[in-house]
Structure formats: C-alpha cells, structure tokens
C-alpha cells in the first residue's frame, strides 16, 4: 500500500473563503482542517497529496481547474470548474507543496465502484489522502435535510468508525440510507476504506453547527 496517511475534512462550502459572508462562521474549522492536513503531510514527508471528494462523475481534474465557488454567489460558473469538495481540498492543501491529484468520485457510485477506485489510488505513488466528506445533514429541524430520528445514532457510528479507522464499517455504509440522511460523504469515505489498511485512527474534531455532521480525522 502506498498511502502513508489519510485526513478526513468537512465538505462544507463555507470552508471556502468568502462563501460564509463577513461572519465567516467556519473560520476556526478551516484553520484546524488546514493545520491537520499540513501537520500530517509534514510528519510523513509526503510530496504528493491525493484529494478525493464527491462530484457528478468519477474523474481526475487538472490542478489548475477554475474555481466553482461562484455557484454559491452569482451562479455563473466557468466551464470545467472544480466540484466544491475538490475545491475545498485544494484550498486546504499546504502552499508550496508537491504534486496534488484531484480525484472526484461520482456521488451515486456504487460501493463496489468506490472500492475499485480506492484500490487504484492505493496502487499509485506514495501519497497522503485527503478525503472531503460530511456526515448526515439531518441532525436538527433546521438542517438542510430537516430532522431524521436515526441521523444522530448514525452520526455516532460514523464518528466511531473514523476514530477506530474501521474500514469494514465504512465499506458497509448503505447508499440508500446515506441518501435519505443527506450524507454527502459516503462515496469518498468508501474510497478511503478501500485505499487504506492497517492505519491507526484519530477523531480530531466533531461538530454540527448547522445540523450537519462535520468531522476532522486522521489515519496514520
């Protein structure tokens, strides 16, 4: 296996500078996520970062693909703009670092397709994997998907899986349940499950300020 470590960061659009307005409600979370990515890549001496996040299709994107942040403001998005998840990962990457591979995975990809992509990434050159993924967005009445009674225990199980680097639990995530709970990160986390093995997990932070589970985790 060539992946030296993995970091899980939230897929919240407000992590992109300017999207959250002048209040910048996720400024602290952005700083902690960037620091976690930098510390992990530095500790492993990695000069290659692989960012995985959900998109419309499964494909590799050019490192200089244009920003798609305007989809949250003016709505005028340039052709070839990065999916939001990959843009978040690119934003959090250490400046002046080495190579960055931007890999989207189709949000509706099957568990088997996610596993195949994970194995493909693991067979590549040594790298640190940055996985951009949220938990359920149905934890409160005001959450994007409104309240679902089983969202809280689901979120607890997901946090435990990341803390324990439990690849079996992530691989077993049910796509239909994740869709119902508005969990955007299912496909990316199942890529993580197949790409890593034998790493120790650490849950660095968990919060849900908008009824969406945001997670910071490190596997190394």
């Amino acid at each position: 296996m060539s992946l030296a470590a993995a970091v899980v960061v939230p897929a919240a659009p407000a992590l992109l500078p300017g999207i959250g307005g002048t209040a910048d409600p996720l400024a602290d979370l952005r700083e902690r996520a960037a620091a976690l990515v930098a510390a992990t890549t530095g500790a492993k001496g990695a000069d290659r970062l692989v960012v995985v996040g959900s998109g419309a299709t499964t494909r590799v994107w050019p490192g200089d693909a244009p920003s798609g942040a305007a989809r949250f403001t003016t709505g005028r998005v340039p052709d070839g703009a990065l999916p939001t998840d990959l843009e978040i990962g690119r934003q959090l990457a250490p400046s002046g670092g080495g190579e960055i591979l931007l890999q989207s995975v189709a949000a509706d990809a099957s568990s088997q397709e996610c596993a195949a992509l994970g194995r493909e990434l693991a067979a590549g050159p040594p790298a640190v994997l940055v996985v951009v993924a949220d938990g359920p967005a149905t934890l409160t009445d005001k959450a994007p998907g409104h309240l679902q009674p089983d969202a809280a225990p689901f979120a607890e199980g997901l946090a435990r899986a990341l803390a324990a680097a439990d690849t079996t639990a992530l691989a077993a995530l049910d796509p239909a349940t994740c869709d119902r709970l508005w969990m955007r990160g299912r496909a990316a986390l199942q890529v993580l499950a197949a790409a890593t093995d034998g790493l120790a997990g650490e849950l660095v932070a968990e919060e849900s300020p908008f009824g969406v589970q945001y997670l910071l985790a490190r596997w190394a």
Side-chain angles (χ1 to χ4, degrees):
M1 185 193 69
S2 60
L3 292 176
V7 177
V8 177
V9 300
L15 287 175
L16 296 173
I19 299 302
T22 55
D24 201 5
L26 298 184
D28 178 64
L29 184 60
R30 182 191 306 119
E31 292 176 5
R32 285 185 289 159
L36 183 63
V37 174
T40 303
T41 55
K44 293 298 178 179
D47 58 3
R48 186 170 184 264
L49 212 61
V50 177
V51 178
V52 175
S54 293
T57 60
T58 298
R59 55 165 288 192
V60 174
W61 294 75
D64 59 353
S67 169
R71 60 175 55 94
F72 302 104
T73 53
T74 66
R76 295 190 293 272
V77 181
D79 292 339
L82 272 183
T84 300
D85 290 8
L86 295 187
E87 188 160 358
I88 291 169
R90 184 172 66 177
Q91 173 70 34
L92 296 176
S95 60
E99 177 190 359
I100 299 179
L101 174 70
L102 301 173
Q103 172 73 62
S104 63
V105 56
D108 60 354
S110 69
S111 299
Q112 293 77 14
E113 290 168 333
C114 295
L117 176 58
R119 291 190 295 268
E120 178 183 334
L121 294 176
V128 168
L129 185 66
V130 177
V131 180
V132 186
D134 286 339
T138 48
L139 290 169
T140 66
D141 286 327
K142 294 184 178 180
H146 307 293
L147 178 65
Q148 292 282 347
D150 55 338
F154 181 96
E156 292 170 3
L158 182 58
R160 287 194 301 269
L162 290 178
D166 189 342
T167 58
T168 301
L170 295 183
L173 290 171
D174 175 56
T177 300
C178 294
D179 287 346
R180 181 174 57 79
L181 296 179
W182 285 45
M183 180 188 168
R184 289 181 53 198
R186 189 272 308 171
L189 289 174
Q190 290 191 317
V191 172
L192 166 67
T196 57
D197 183 38
L199 300 179
E202 176 189 5
L203 184 64
V204 178
E206 179 190 9
E207 55 188 66
S208 51
F210 308 115
V212 183
Q213 185 186 31
Y214 297 149
L215 298 152
L216 283 179
R218 171 169 45 201
W219 292 10

